[in-house]
Amino acid sequence: MSGNDEGLCQQPCDHPDVVDTVRKAMPEEGQQQDLAQLFKVLGDHTRVRILNALYRSELCVCDLTSILGMNQSAISHQLRVLRDAKIVRSRKQGKNVLYSLDDCHIAELIRIGFEHVQEGKG
Amino acid sequence: MSGNDEGLCQQPCDHPDVVDTVRKAMPEEGQQQDLAQLFKVLGDHTRVRILNALYRSELCVCDLTSILGMNQSAISHQLRVLRDAKIVRSRKQGKNVLYSLDDCHIAELIRIGFEHVQEGKG
DNA sequence: CCAAAACATGAACAGTTGCTCATACGATAC
DNA sequence: GTATCGTATGAGCAACTGTTCATGTTTTGG
């Protein structure tokens, strides 16, 4: 059932069977993969800035281009990543495409993340 | 004060001055950098699995090596990343080094992240 | 002292990522 | 129709990331 060649501690720390309990309590691999992917998409400076802007208002691409002071192509590429990850949504309005946060979880993740970061500075 | 060569929309979407409002409401660059860095560290499959294990119990390196079925060196390298980011803490006990989650925010980020991921599956 | 266990770390290599450039697409205005 | 604005996308490249391998450090046991 287990496939780890690397052995356990030969003199266990003081966890005789805790290891086995933890192993059985671990979430499914697929879910952990998805969670890591979510955080990975959030873990980029440009994308964090985009999300902080969209947190305040629905915005089109050129708005974001202006706010972030970056290339339009770079913004579009990152918006694609955010959209594929279902973190933002988009709707067309004439020639423009308006982007907004897709999920309320995202705003909460950003909020808690900021708390952690700010406390770490103290 | 602003240094963006890329122009604004010439026919603004329907946000005459929202752009300026958002620009002024954006968090400091340093904080957004730190937030992105936090998520980036969380955004890796191996590190997510380590955190899910430590979420259940304080564990030594060889425990994690066994639970994840991975090289001891790989685990140590990732633990270093997590420690530098102040996401886990460590204490020595004899020959072993016991790791645990440093911050309660981390557990909450993982919890909310899982919620988002599971809802996305529906 | 020496050996072994538990852990840390540096180098190297493959894989990934984010930006730039060029270009293509879609909608509006004329 | 054509021109133009707003946006999307593919290719290419430099920078970064995670694992493995080899080695070093610290602690326990004899």
Side-chain angles (χ1 to χ4, degrees), chain B residues 15-72:
Chain B
H15 308 275
D17 50 3
V18 170
V19 170
D20 217 55
T21 304
V22 170
R23 199 200 313 271
K24 285 168 183 160
M26 292 283 282
E28 289 178 19
E29 281 303 297
Q31 288 196 0
Q32 298 195 88
Q33 199 86 267
D34 292 345
L35 182 60
Q37 180 59 28
L38 169 63
F39 284 134
K40 180 180 290 186
V41 173
L42 295 178
D44 174 77
H45 185 210
T46 298
R47 290 193 290 266
V48 161
R49 295 204 297 158
I50 289 175
L51 294 176
N52 270 314
L54 295 181
Y55 182 84
R56 267 83 187 181
S57 170
E58 186 181 45
L59 296 167
C60 68
V61 177
C62 66
D63 287 342
L64 289 166
T65 298
S66 163
I67 291 170
L68 302 195
M70 288 181 66
N71 203 325
Q72 175 265 317

Side-chain angles (χ1 to χ4, degrees), chain A residues 4 6-9 11-15 18-19 22-23 25-27 29 31-36 38-40 42-45 48-49 52-53 56-60 62-63 65-72 85-87 93 95-96 98 103 105-106 108-110 112-121, chain B residues 4 6-9 11-15 18-19 22-23 25-27 29 31-36 38-40 42-45 48-49 52-53 56-60 62-63 65-72 85-87 93 95-96 98 103 105-106 108-110 112-121:
Chain A
N4 42 323
E6 303 277 341
L8 297 137
C9 304
Q11 293 136 269
C13 321
D14 54 354
H15 307 275
V18 170
V19 169
V22 170
R23 200 200 313 269
M26 291 285 281
E29 280 304 296
Q31 288 196 0
Q32 299 196 87
Q33 198 85 267
D34 292 345
L35 182 60
L38 169 63
F39 284 133
K40 180 179 290 186
L42 295 177
D44 175 76
H45 186 210
V48 161
R49 296 204 296 158
N52 271 313
R56 266 85 187 180
S57 170
E58 187 181 44
L59 296 167
C60 68
C62 66
D63 288 342
T65 298
S66 163
I67 292 170
L68 303 196
M70 288 182 64
N71 202 324
Q72 175 264 317
K86 294 187 178 172
I87 289 173
Q93 188 184 63
K95 286 191 292 187
N96 299 328
L98 298 180
D103 194 307
H105 287 135
I106 304 304
E108 199 167 358
L109 287 175
I110 291 179
I112 295 174
F114 265 124
E115 277 185 28
H116 177 81
V117 164
Q118 286 169 344
E119 288 187 6
K121 288 292 175 188
Chain B
N4 43 320
E6 304 275 342
L8 297 137
C9 304
Q11 293 136 269
C13 321
D14 55 354
H15 308 275
V18 170
V19 170
V22 170
R23 199 200 313 271
M26 292 283 282
E29 281 303 297
Q31 288 196 0
Q32 298 195 88
Q33 199 86 267
D34 292 345
L35 182 60
L38 169 63
F39 284 134
K40 180 180 290 186
L42 295 178
D44 174 77
H45 185 210
V48 161
R49 295 204 297 158
N52 270 314
R56 267 83 187 181
S57 170
E58 186 181 45
L59 296 167
C60 68
C62 66
D63 287 342
T65 298
S66 163
I67 291 170
L68 302 195
M70 288 181 66
N71 203 325
Q72 175 265 317
K86 294 186 178 173
I87 290 174
Q93 187 183 64
K95 286 191 291 185
N96 299 329
L98 299 179
D103 194 307
H105 286 135
I106 304 304
E108 199 167 358
L109 286 175
I110 291 179
I112 296 174
F114 265 124
E115 276 184 29
H116 177 81
V117 165
Q118 286 169 343
E119 287 186 7
K121 288 292 176 188

